[in-house]
Amino acid sequence: MLTPEITKRLRSTAVEILSVNDKGNYTVPTEGLYPFQWNWDSCLTAIGMSNVNEERGWTEIETLFDHQWPNGMVPHIIFHEKNAGYFPGPEVWATQRPTPTSGITQPAVAGFALQKLYQRSERPDAVKTRATALVQAIDRWHQWFYQYRDPDDQALVAVLHPWETGRDNSVDWDSAFERVPTDGVGSYQRRDLDHADASMRPTGEQYDRYIWLVQHFRSLGWSNQSLHDNSPFRIVDPGFNAILIRSCEALAEVAESLGEDAIAQRNHDFSARGRLALGSLWSDAHEQYVCYDRANASLVDSASIGGLLPVFALDDGAQVKKLARRIDSLCDRVKYNVPSHDPDDARFDSKRYWRGPIWLIVNYMLVDGLRRHGHNELVQRLVSSSLGLISENGMAEYFDPVTGGACGGKNFTWTAAMVLEFLRDDVAS
Ligand code: GLC
């Protein structure tokens, strides 16, 4: 139970973390480990920021979109400043952008974030021009997804690198990753291990494969026409698609209220078709959605949190109910919630990044979807577990669902942003 004193302390710590990681017009996820701007971190952070400084929330997203590629892609990292403490840096990506960026993308949560900011704005007329500019930019990104990552028009997009999913070392990628070679990668020095415990990070072999893919895409000149078909890693992730589908819906609604009718129509269509197509990823065996490996045409046998994220996007109450049951069952099996992988799977690892640990941003998206469908008890369960975890262990990058212990980087921006969200009455109740 949170007392008013604890609530006050959590709020002020969260505000402090946002300010420490604030570089003026963008935030870094945390000093040291991640010293640049990350795509979905910034969008989720902007939502949390809107509780303390609406203006700053808008600039967070605008800065990200200032670095959108001419083809519509929004990169996963913007290297605003030089910093030798991160690998792989701009020289490895070699994308030839005016401000260096990576060459891959990340979950498209911007449309959803924009809608939150717009709905909450105290001065909707004053932000109309900025909102319209962002609507147009986000629409170009959504079009890029369906053009280049869904070449056969299946209404589901593929990710070409685990880093695109935001769930870097999930069990979901293991089988496809075995097909990614490591020869010719050369030697390099990982910098993440200077800042975080090796037992909580991806393994050396996984890292070689991450880097092989980057080098491969670079050798293809980052050309979107070639990347999809030439990548040995081509996965349709239900979580990634659910986030995109929800953002298309959110963008359509904002576009409608701004009189951007063509954009509204296009994004309504993307989301309606995407929802239908998600059905092909359902697994009766796991009672949830699973990934589809497009490079070898098979479903992936892995029950991760990505397959529960469709609660964020679905409008079918019966499907959401099944997922709610499954989330509840995961919660029954660990002390803190929600684990990012099924604890009964032998591949579950309570400390290693996305193979078991809890991430508050995921809890937030689950809570949002569950609330829309009236699963209020489960919402309460997730919100109080999230806030309990934070009040005992601080605003870390992720948490061990068995012990509740803090893992990865400390003083994490998007964790702090989500705390501000969970403290709102309209999210927690
Ligand atoms: C890790 C996470 C990713 C996040 C990034 C910055 O790579 O897996 O989701 O965007 O860190 O916080």
Side-chain angles (χ1 to χ4, degrees):
M1 185 58 194
L2 295 185
T3 61
E5 288 71 39
I6 298 179
T7 305
K8 199 167 153 210
R9 175 174 58 80
L10 290 183
R11 196 184 303 277
S12 70
T13 308
V15 171
E16 171 70 18
I17 291 175
L18 289 185
S19 124
V20 165
N21 292 330
D22 192 345
K23 298 284 168 193
N25 59 353
Y26 70 94
T27 52
V28 296
T30 187
E31 291 288 353
L33 187 59
Y34 302 115
F36 311 109
Q37 183 177 23
W38 260 258
N39 183 326
W40 74 323
D41 294 62
S42 268
C43 295
L44 289 158
T45 295
I47 302 175
M49 273 177 167
S50 71
N51 293 290
V52 276
N53 184 345
E54 181 192 328
E55 167 63 26
R56 190 54 194 79
W58 285 93
T59 54
E60 185 74 15
I61 305 181
E62 285 167 341
T63 304
L64 175 67
F65 277 84
D66 285 347
H67 301 275
Q68 181 169 29
W69 285 19
N71 65 12
M73 203 268 284
V74 184
H76 100 295
I77 306 176
I78 320 295
F79 298 105
H80 289 284
E81 289 176 358
K82 286 198 186 335
N83 188 318
Y86 180 84
F87 180 85
E91 61 298 335
V92 180
W93 295 92
T95 55
Q96 317 293 339
R97 296 288 303 147
T99 298
T101 73
S102 71
I104 57 173
T105 194
Q106 254 194 335
V109 76
F112 171 76
L114 170 71
Q115 185 179 39
K116 285 269 182 234
L117 260 54
Y118 189 63
Q119 283 170 341
R120 287 178 187 176
S121 176
E122 284 163 8
R123 305 163 297 123
D125 282 337
V127 294
K128 224 169 164 173
T129 312
R130 324 172 67 165
T132 304
L134 279 178
V135 160
Q136 292 166 350
I138 297 171
D139 172 54
R140 287 199 287 119
W141 191 23
H142 291 178
Q143 290 188 68
W144 173 86
F145 269 117
Y146 290 104
Q147 181 175 355
Y148 293 111
R149 297 305 183 82
D150 179 24
D152 294 330
D153 199 21
Q154 296 169 344
L156 292 173
V157 302
V159 287
L160 308 183
H161 194 297
W163 289 342
E164 289 198 315
T165 69
R167 297 184 293 111
D168 305 16
N169 68 337
S170 166
V171 173
D172 289 351
W173 329 131
D174 287 3
S175 54
F177 228 31
E178 275 167 28
R179 290 195 302 273
V180 175
T182 54
D183 25 298
V185 162
S187 63
Y188 58 87
Q189 194 190 348
R190 278 176 73 168
R191 304 310 299 259
D192 55 323
L193 302 181
D194 301 345
H195 308 282
D197 189 318
S199 68
M200 299 178 182
R201 299 285 305 175
T203 62
E205 194 186 333
Q206 278 163 342
Y207 236 82
D208 282 352
R209 292 186 160 127
Y210 296 145
I211 300 306
W212 187 91
L213 282 172
V214 172
Q215 293 175 348
H216 178 59
F217 298 151
R218 188 181 66 197
S219 76
L220 296 170
W222 297 108
S223 149
N224 278 279
Q225 267 82 2
S226 348
L227 258 49
H228 180 277
D229 290 355
N230 287 297
S231 175
F233 185 88
R234 225 159 49 238
I235 298 277
V236 177
D237 167 19
F240 192 93
N241 277 276
I243 292 169
L244 176 58
I245 290 165
R246 177 66 187 275
S247 276
C248 287
E249 177 199 310
L251 191 72
E253 287 167 8
V254 178
E256 221 157 65
S257 66
L258 292 168
E260 293 283 337
D261 297 342
I263 294 181
Q265 191 54 53
R266 180 165 39 245
N267 282 274
H268 271 310
D269 289 350
F270 285 153
S271 65
R273 293 188 63 222
R275 280 198 189 98
L276 273 180
L278 273 179
S280 64
L281 305 179
W282 179 257
S283 158
D284 277 332
H286 291 299
E287 296 179 307
Q288 65 162 77
Y289 296 87
V290 292
C291 290
Y292 176 74
D293 187 335
R294 207 175 250 174
N296 81 348
S298 60
L299 288 175
V300 178
D301 182 25
S302 167
S304 83
I305 200 79
L308 300 172
L309 271 170
V311 293
F312 189 52
L314 290 171
D315 52 8
D316 175 348
Q319 271 317 96
V320 171
K321 202 167 170 186
K322 290 187 200 165
L323 293 178
R325 222 177 287 136
R326 171 106 180 111
I327 295 168
D328 226 9
S329 125
L330 289 181
C331 294
D332 288 342
R333 287 179 275 145
V334 280
K335 189 160 175 220
Y336 297 90
N337 296 303
V338 178
S340 50
H341 199 76
D342 190 321
D344 291 341
D345 185 330
R347 299 167 292 186
F348 171 84
D349 181 337
S350 70
K351 287 192 172 37
R352 206 179 279 277
Y353 221 28
W354 288 94
R355 300 175 79 85
I358 300 164
W359 293 73
L360 249 63
I361 49 128
V362 173
N363 285 3
Y364 179 68
M365 290 184 276
L366 296 178
V367 160
D368 181 278
L370 291 166
R371 264 191 91 243
R372 295 216 291 177
H373 290 272
H375 292 280
N376 297 336
E377 241 173 74
L378 187 52
V379 164
Q380 275 307 329
R381 187 174 192 181
L382 302 195
V383 171
S384 64
S385 182
S386 303
L387 290 175
L389 201 58
I390 295 294
S391 61
E392 287 166 31
N393 299 292
M395 300 188 196
E397 186 177 8
Y398 48 99
F399 299 89
D400 181 328
V402 177
T403 65
C407 301
K410 304 274 176 296
N411 300 330
F412 228 80
T413 305
W414 67 3
T415 308
M418 294 301 100
V419 170
L420 293 174
E421 284 294 292
F422 283 134
L423 291 173
R424 286 173 67 96
D425 291 344
D426 62 348
V427 171
S429 58

PDB file of all heavy atoms in Angstrom, residues 97-124:
ATOM      1  N   ARG A  97      24.037   9.996 -42.639  1.00  0.00           N
ATOM      2  CA  ARG A  97      23.022  11.007 -42.337  1.00  0.00           C
ATOM      3  C   ARG A  97      23.718  12.259 -41.786  1.00  0.00           C
ATOM      4  O   ARG A  97      24.778  12.151 -41.152  1.00  0.00           O
ATOM      5  CB  ARG A  97      22.039  10.473 -41.283  1.00  0.00           C
ATOM      6  CG  ARG A  97      21.232   9.285 -41.749  1.00  0.00           C
ATOM      7  CD  ARG A  97      20.186   9.677 -42.758  1.00  0.00           C
ATOM      8  NE  ARG A  97      19.296  10.697 -42.225  1.00  0.00           N
ATOM      9  CZ  ARG A  97      18.720  11.663 -42.953  1.00  0.00           C
ATOM     10  NH1 ARG A  97      18.945  11.745 -44.239  1.00  0.00           N
ATOM     11  NH2 ARG A  97      17.919  12.536 -42.378  1.00  0.00           N
ATOM     12  N   PRO A  98      23.128  13.457 -41.984  1.00  0.00           N
ATOM     13  CA  PRO A  98      23.769  14.694 -41.509  1.00  0.00           C
ATOM     14  C   PRO A  98      24.125  14.612 -40.020  1.00  0.00           C
ATOM     15  O   PRO A  98      25.252  14.902 -39.627  1.00  0.00           O
ATOM     16  CB  PRO A  98      22.723  15.770 -41.758  1.00  0.00           C
ATOM     17  CG  PRO A  98      21.655  15.162 -42.618  1.00  0.00           C
ATOM     18  CD  PRO A  98      21.859  13.688 -42.685  1.00  0.00           C
ATOM     19  N   THR A  99      23.154  14.257 -39.193  1.00  0.00           N
ATOM     20  CA  THR A  99      23.467  13.872 -37.814  1.00  0.00           C
ATOM     21  C   THR A  99      23.446  12.352 -37.844  1.00  0.00           C
ATOM     22  O   THR A  99      22.461  11.764 -38.290  1.00  0.00           O
ATOM     23  CB  THR A  99      22.371  14.369 -36.831  1.00  0.00           C
ATOM     24  OG1 THR A  99      22.327  15.784 -36.890  1.00  0.00           O
ATOM     25  CG2 THR A  99      22.645  13.923 -35.409  1.00  0.00           C
ATOM     26  N   PRO A 100      24.531  11.699 -37.406  1.00  0.00           N
ATOM     27  CA  PRO A 100      24.563  10.239 -37.540  1.00  0.00           C
ATOM     28  C   PRO A 100      23.393   9.551 -36.825  1.00  0.00           C
ATOM     29  O   PRO A 100      22.967   9.986 -35.749  1.00  0.00           O
ATOM     30  CB  PRO A 100      25.885   9.855 -36.870  1.00  0.00           C
ATOM     31  CG  PRO A 100      26.673  11.102 -36.760  1.00  0.00           C
ATOM     32  CD  PRO A 100      25.721  12.252 -36.770  1.00  0.00           C
ATOM     33  N   THR A 101      22.873   8.514 -37.457  1.00  0.00           N
ATOM     34  CA  THR A 101      21.824   7.702 -36.839  1.00  0.00           C
ATOM     35  C   THR A 101      22.134   6.232 -37.125  1.00  0.00           C
ATOM     36  O   THR A 101      22.946   5.927 -37.985  1.00  0.00           O
ATOM     37  CB  THR A 101      20.420   7.996 -37.441  1.00  0.00           C
ATOM     38  OG1 THR A 101      20.349   7.437 -38.759  1.00  0.00           O
ATOM     39  CG2 THR A 101      20.096   9.474 -37.485  1.00  0.00           C
ATOM     40  N   SER A 102      21.420   5.350 -36.433  1.00  0.00           N
ATOM     41  CA  SER A 102      21.488   3.936 -36.802  1.00  0.00           C
ATOM     42  C   SER A 102      20.700   3.773 -38.106  1.00  0.00           C
ATOM     43  O   SER A 102      20.115   4.744 -38.609  1.00  0.00           O
ATOM     44  CB  SER A 102      20.888   3.076 -35.689  1.00  0.00           C
ATOM     45  OG  SER A 102      19.480   3.248 -35.654  1.00  0.00           O
ATOM     46  N   GLY A 103      20.651   2.552 -38.631  1.00  0.00           N
ATOM     47  CA  GLY A 103      19.958   2.337 -39.907  1.00  0.00           C
ATOM     48  C   GLY A 103      18.729   1.463 -39.779  1.00  0.00           C
ATOM     49  O   GLY A 103      18.144   1.057 -40.780  1.00  0.00           O
ATOM     50  N   ILE A 104      18.357   1.132 -38.548  1.00  0.00           N
ATOM     51  CA  ILE A 104      17.163   0.309 -38.325  1.00  0.00           C
ATOM     52  C   ILE A 104      16.186   1.107 -37.466  1.00  0.00           C
ATOM     53  O   ILE A 104      16.529   2.172 -36.951  1.00  0.00           O
ATOM     54  CB  ILE A 104      17.512  -1.032 -37.637  1.00  0.00           C
ATOM     55  CG1 ILE A 104      18.249  -0.784 -36.308  1.00  0.00           C
ATOM     56  CG2 ILE A 104      18.336  -1.921 -38.567  1.00  0.00           C
ATOM     57  CD1 ILE A 104      18.486  -2.028 -35.471  1.00  0.00           C
ATOM     58  N   THR A 105      14.984   0.568 -37.285  1.00  0.00           N
ATOM     59  CA  THR A 105      13.966   1.333 -36.575  1.00  0.00           C
ATOM     60  C   THR A 105      13.622   0.679 -35.232  1.00  0.00           C
ATOM     61  O   THR A 105      14.347  -0.197 -34.756  1.00  0.00           O
ATOM     62  CB  THR A 105      12.742   1.525 -37.506  1.00  0.00           C
ATOM     63  OG1 THR A 105      11.892   2.523 -36.976  1.00  0.00           O
ATOM     64  CG2 THR A 105      11.973   0.237 -37.718  1.00  0.00           C
ATOM     65  N   GLN A 106      12.530   1.105 -34.619  1.00  0.00           N
ATOM     66  CA  GLN A 106      12.097   0.557 -33.324  1.00  0.00           C
ATOM     67  C   GLN A 106      10.571   0.592 -33.251  1.00  0.00           C
ATOM     68  O   GLN A 106       9.919   1.173 -34.126  1.00  0.00           O
ATOM     69  CB  GLN A 106      12.696   1.387 -32.176  1.00  0.00           C
ATOM     70  CG  GLN A 106      13.827   0.669 -31.457  1.00  0.00           C
ATOM     71  CD  GLN A 106      14.220   1.297 -30.138  1.00  0.00           C
ATOM     72  OE1 GLN A 106      14.011   2.482 -29.915  1.00  0.00           O
ATOM     73  NE2 GLN A 106      14.822   0.518 -29.274  1.00  0.00           N
ATOM     74  N   PRO A 107       9.951  -0.007 -32.220  1.00  0.00           N
ATOM     75  CA  PRO A 107       8.487  -0.045 -32.174  1.00  0.00           C
ATOM     76  C   PRO A 107       7.859   1.340 -32.358  1.00  0.00           C
ATOM     77  O   PRO A 107       8.262   2.319 -31.730  1.00  0.00           O
ATOM     78  CB  PRO A 107       8.192  -0.606 -30.786  1.00  0.00           C
ATOM     79  CG  PRO A 107       9.375  -1.474 -30.488  1.00  0.00           C
ATOM     80  CD  PRO A 107      10.546  -0.731 -31.078  1.00  0.00           C
ATOM     81  N   ALA A 108       6.837   1.374 -33.213  1.00  0.00           N
ATOM     82  CA  ALA A 108       6.241   2.640 -33.643  1.00  0.00           C
ATOM     83  C   ALA A 108       5.207   3.132 -32.644  1.00  0.00           C
ATOM     84  O   ALA A 108       4.008   3.129 -32.914  1.00  0.00           O
ATOM     85  CB  ALA A 108       5.601   2.454 -35.013  1.00  0.00           C
ATOM     86  N   VAL A 109       5.684   3.610 -31.517  1.00  0.00           N
ATOM     87  CA  VAL A 109       4.744   4.029 -30.477  1.00  0.00           C
ATOM     88  C   VAL A 109       4.413   5.534 -30.577  1.00  0.00           C
ATOM     89  O   VAL A 109       3.597   6.059 -29.825  1.00  0.00           O
ATOM     90  CB  VAL A 109       5.298   3.584 -29.085  1.00  0.00           C
ATOM     91  CG1 VAL A 109       6.425   4.459 -28.620  1.00  0.00           C
ATOM     92  CG2 VAL A 109       4.208   3.467 -28.054  1.00  0.00           C
ATOM     93  N   ALA A 110       5.021   6.214 -31.571  1.00  0.00           N
ATOM     94  CA  ALA A 110       4.859   7.670 -31.676  1.00  0.00           C
ATOM     95  C   ALA A 110       3.404   8.100 -31.873  1.00  0.00           C
ATOM     96  O   ALA A 110       2.964   9.103 -31.302  1.00  0.00           O
ATOM     97  CB  ALA A 110       5.726   8.226 -32.808  1.00  0.00           C
ATOM     98  N   GLY A 111       2.644   7.383 -32.670  1.00  0.00           N
ATOM     99  CA  GLY A 111       1.245   7.771 -32.930  1.00  0.00           C
ATOM    100  C   GLY A 111       0.435   7.744 -31.641  1.00  0.00           C
ATOM    101  O   GLY A 111      -0.371   8.649 -31.366  1.00  0.00           O
ATOM    102  N   PHE A 112       0.664   6.714 -30.855  1.00  0.00           N
ATOM    103  CA  PHE A 112      -0.021   6.588 -29.566  1.00  0.00           C
ATOM    104  C   PHE A 112       0.403   7.732 -28.627  1.00  0.00           C
ATOM    105  O   PHE A 112      -0.432   8.364 -27.971  1.00  0.00           O
ATOM    106  CB  PHE A 112       0.335   5.227 -28.963  1.00  0.00           C
ATOM    107  CG  PHE A 112      -0.112   5.021 -27.552  1.00  0.00           C
ATOM    108  CD1 PHE A 112      -1.440   4.758 -27.257  1.00  0.00           C
ATOM    109  CD2 PHE A 112       0.805   5.072 -26.502  1.00  0.00           C
ATOM    110  CE1 PHE A 112      -1.856   4.559 -25.940  1.00  0.00           C
ATOM    111  CE2 PHE A 112       0.405   4.877 -25.193  1.00  0.00           C
ATOM    112  CZ  PHE A 112      -0.935   4.618 -24.907  1.00  0.00           C
ATOM    113  N   ALA A 113       1.704   8.023 -28.603  1.00  0.00           N
ATOM    114  CA  ALA A 113       2.210   9.090 -27.727  1.00  0.00           C
ATOM    115  C   ALA A 113       1.644  10.444 -28.149  1.00  0.00           C
ATOM    116  O   ALA A 113       1.209  11.251 -27.316  1.00  0.00           O
ATOM    117  CB  ALA A 113       3.736   9.116 -27.767  1.00  0.00           C
ATOM    118  N   LEU A 114       1.615  10.679 -29.454  1.00  0.00           N
ATOM    119  CA  LEU A 114       1.073  11.949 -29.949  1.00  0.00           C
ATOM    120  C   LEU A 114      -0.378  12.114 -29.496  1.00  0.00           C
ATOM    121  O   LEU A 114      -0.785  13.190 -29.042  1.00  0.00           O
ATOM    122  CB  LEU A 114       1.147  11.983 -31.482  1.00  0.00           C
ATOM    123  CG  LEU A 114       0.389  13.140 -32.123  1.00  0.00           C
ATOM    124  CD1 LEU A 114       1.088  14.466 -31.853  1.00  0.00           C
ATOM    125  CD2 LEU A 114       0.236  12.940 -33.634  1.00  0.00           C
ATOM    126  N   GLN A 115      -1.160  11.055 -29.601  1.00  0.00           N
ATOM    127  CA  GLN A 115      -2.565  11.160 -29.200  1.00  0.00           C
ATOM    128  C   GLN A 115      -2.686  11.517 -27.719  1.00  0.00           C
ATOM    129  O   GLN A 115      -3.492  12.357 -27.330  1.00  0.00           O
ATOM    130  CB  GLN A 115      -3.318   9.864 -29.500  1.00  0.00           C
ATOM    131  CG  GLN A 115      -4.808   9.998 -29.200  1.00  0.00           C
ATOM    132  CD  GLN A 115      -5.590   8.731 -29.508  1.00  0.00           C
ATOM    133  OE1 GLN A 115      -5.119   7.626 -29.261  1.00  0.00           O
ATOM    134  NE2 GLN A 115      -6.769   8.890 -30.090  1.00  0.00           N
ATOM    135  N   LYS A 116      -1.867  10.893 -26.894  1.00  0.00           N
ATOM    136  CA  LYS A 116      -1.909  11.207 -25.455  1.00  0.00           C
ATOM    137  C   LYS A 116      -1.620  12.693 -25.235  1.00  0.00           C
ATOM    138  O   LYS A 116      -2.304  13.383 -24.496  1.00  0.00           O
ATOM    139  CB  LYS A 116      -0.852  10.394 -24.689  1.00  0.00           C
ATOM    140  CG  LYS A 116      -1.217   8.952 -24.509  1.00  0.00           C
ATOM    141  CD  LYS A 116      -1.964   8.749 -23.199  1.00  0.00           C
ATOM    142  CE  LYS A 116      -2.295   7.307 -22.956  1.00  0.00           C
ATOM    143  NZ  LYS A 116      -3.666   6.999 -22.693  1.00  0.00           N
ATOM    144  N   LEU A 117      -0.551  13.170 -25.884  1.00  0.00           N
ATOM    145  CA  LEU A 117      -0.163  14.567 -25.692  1.00  0.00           C
ATOM    146  C   LEU A 117      -1.274  15.508 -26.181  1.00  0.00           C
ATOM    147  O   LEU A 117      -1.590  16.503 -25.526  1.00  0.00           O
ATOM    148  CB  LEU A 117       1.133  14.858 -26.449  1.00  0.00           C
ATOM    149  CG  LEU A 117       2.410  14.870 -25.613  1.00  0.00           C
ATOM    150  CD1 LEU A 117       2.594  13.607 -24.817  1.00  0.00           C
ATOM    151  CD2 LEU A 117       3.631  15.130 -26.467  1.00  0.00           C
ATOM    152  N   TYR A 118      -1.833  15.167 -27.311  1.00  0.00           N
ATOM    153  CA  TYR A 118      -2.856  16.020 -27.912  1.00  0.00           C
ATOM    154  C   TYR A 118      -4.115  16.050 -27.044  1.00  0.00           C
ATOM    155  O   TYR A 118      -4.685  17.104 -26.783  1.00  0.00           O
ATOM    156  CB  TYR A 118      -3.160  15.508 -29.321  1.00  0.00           C
ATOM    157  CG  TYR A 118      -4.045  16.430 -30.112  1.00  0.00           C
ATOM    158  CD1 TYR A 118      -3.626  17.724 -30.426  1.00  0.00           C
ATOM    159  CD2 TYR A 118      -5.296  16.018 -30.551  1.00  0.00           C
ATOM    160  CE1 TYR A 118      -4.445  18.580 -31.153  1.00  0.00           C
ATOM    161  CE2 TYR A 118      -6.115  16.867 -31.282  1.00  0.00           C
ATOM    162  CZ  TYR A 118      -5.679  18.146 -31.567  1.00  0.00           C
ATOM    163  OH  TYR A 118      -6.483  18.992 -32.273  1.00  0.00           O
ATOM    164  N   GLN A 119      -4.522  14.880 -26.569  1.00  0.00           N
ATOM    165  CA  GLN A 119      -5.729  14.818 -25.731  1.00  0.00           C
ATOM    166  C   GLN A 119      -5.529  15.561 -24.409  1.00  0.00           C
ATOM    167  O   GLN A 119      -6.451  16.130 -23.857  1.00  0.00           O
ATOM    168  CB  GLN A 119      -6.081  13.364 -25.400  1.00  0.00           C
ATOM    169  CG  GLN A 119      -6.734  12.638 -26.556  1.00  0.00           C
ATOM    170  CD  GLN A 119      -6.848  11.131 -26.299  1.00  0.00           C
ATOM    171  OE1 GLN A 119      -6.146  10.580 -25.452  1.00  0.00           O
ATOM    172  NE2 GLN A 119      -7.722  10.471 -27.033  1.00  0.00           N
ATOM    173  N   ARG A 120      -4.300  15.505 -23.902  1.00  0.00           N
ATOM    174  CA  ARG A 120      -4.062  16.128 -22.601  1.00  0.00           C
ATOM    175  C   ARG A 120      -3.740  17.616 -22.701  1.00  0.00           C
ATOM    176  O   ARG A 120      -3.660  18.291 -21.683  1.00  0.00           O
ATOM    177  CB  ARG A 120      -2.863  15.459 -21.924  1.00  0.00           C
ATOM    178  CG  ARG A 120      -3.180  14.091 -21.414  1.00  0.00           C
ATOM    179  CD  ARG A 120      -1.928  13.494 -20.814  1.00  0.00           C
ATOM    180  NE  ARG A 120      -2.159  12.100 -20.459  1.00  0.00           N
ATOM    181  CZ  ARG A 120      -1.241  11.294 -19.998  1.00  0.00           C
ATOM    182  NH1 ARG A 120      -0.004  11.743 -19.837  1.00  0.00           N
ATOM    183  NH2 ARG A 120      -1.530  10.055 -19.699  1.00  0.00           N
ATOM    184  N   SER A 121      -3.507  18.093 -23.907  1.00  0.00           N
ATOM    185  CA  SER A 121      -3.015  19.453 -24.052  1.00  0.00           C
ATOM    186  C   SER A 121      -3.968  20.469 -23.418  1.00  0.00           C
ATOM    187  O   SER A 121      -5.179  20.404 -23.606  1.00  0.00           O
ATOM    188  CB  SER A 121      -2.825  19.788 -25.526  1.00  0.00           C
ATOM    189  OG  SER A 121      -2.430  21.127 -25.627  1.00  0.00           O
ATOM    190  N   GLU A 122      -3.365  21.383 -22.693  1.00  0.00           N
ATOM    191  CA  GLU A 122      -4.189  22.433 -22.083  1.00  0.00           C
ATOM    192  C   GLU A 122      -4.503  23.524 -23.099  1.00  0.00           C
ATOM    193  O   GLU A 122      -5.358  24.360 -22.870  1.00  0.00           O
ATOM    194  CB  GLU A 122      -3.446  23.039 -20.886  1.00  0.00           C
ATOM    195  CG  GLU A 122      -3.507  22.102 -19.696  1.00  0.00           C
ATOM    196  CD  GLU A 122      -2.464  22.423 -18.638  1.00  0.00           C
ATOM    197  OE1 GLU A 122      -1.795  23.470 -18.756  1.00  0.00           O
ATOM    198  OE2 GLU A 122      -2.341  21.604 -17.716  1.00  0.00           O
ATOM    199  N   ARG A 123      -3.783  23.500 -24.231  1.00  0.00           N
ATOM    200  CA  ARG A 123      -3.997  24.545 -25.233  1.00  0.00           C
ATOM    201  C   ARG A 123      -4.097  23.905 -26.623  1.00  0.00           C
ATOM    202  O   ARG A 123      -3.238  24.109 -27.472  1.00  0.00           O
ATOM    203  CB  ARG A 123      -2.815  25.526 -25.211  1.00  0.00           C
ATOM    204  CG  ARG A 123      -2.517  26.144 -23.848  1.00  0.00           C
ATOM    205  CD  ARG A 123      -1.130  26.765 -23.806  1.00  0.00           C
ATOM    206  NE  ARG A 123      -0.079  25.785 -23.999  1.00  0.00           N
ATOM    207  CZ  ARG A 123       0.852  25.838 -24.943  1.00  0.00           C
ATOM    208  NH1 ARG A 123       0.898  26.814 -25.788  1.00  0.00           N
ATOM    209  NH2 ARG A 123       1.767  24.891 -25.036  1.00  0.00           N
ATOM    210  N   PRO A 124      -5.170  23.102 -26.863  1.00  0.00           N
ATOM    211  CA  PRO A 124      -5.249  22.362 -28.129  1.00  0.00           C
ATOM    212  C   PRO A 124      -5.123  23.259 -29.362  1.00  0.00           C
ATOM    213  O   PRO A 124      -4.510  22.854 -30.350  1.00  0.00           O
ATOM    214  CB  PRO A 124      -6.616  21.676 -28.069  1.00  0.00           C
ATOM    215  CG  PRO A 124      -7.259  22.056 -26.790  1.00  0.00           C
ATOM    216  CD  PRO A 124      -6.321  22.882 -25.990  1.00  0.00           C
TER     217      PRO A 124
END
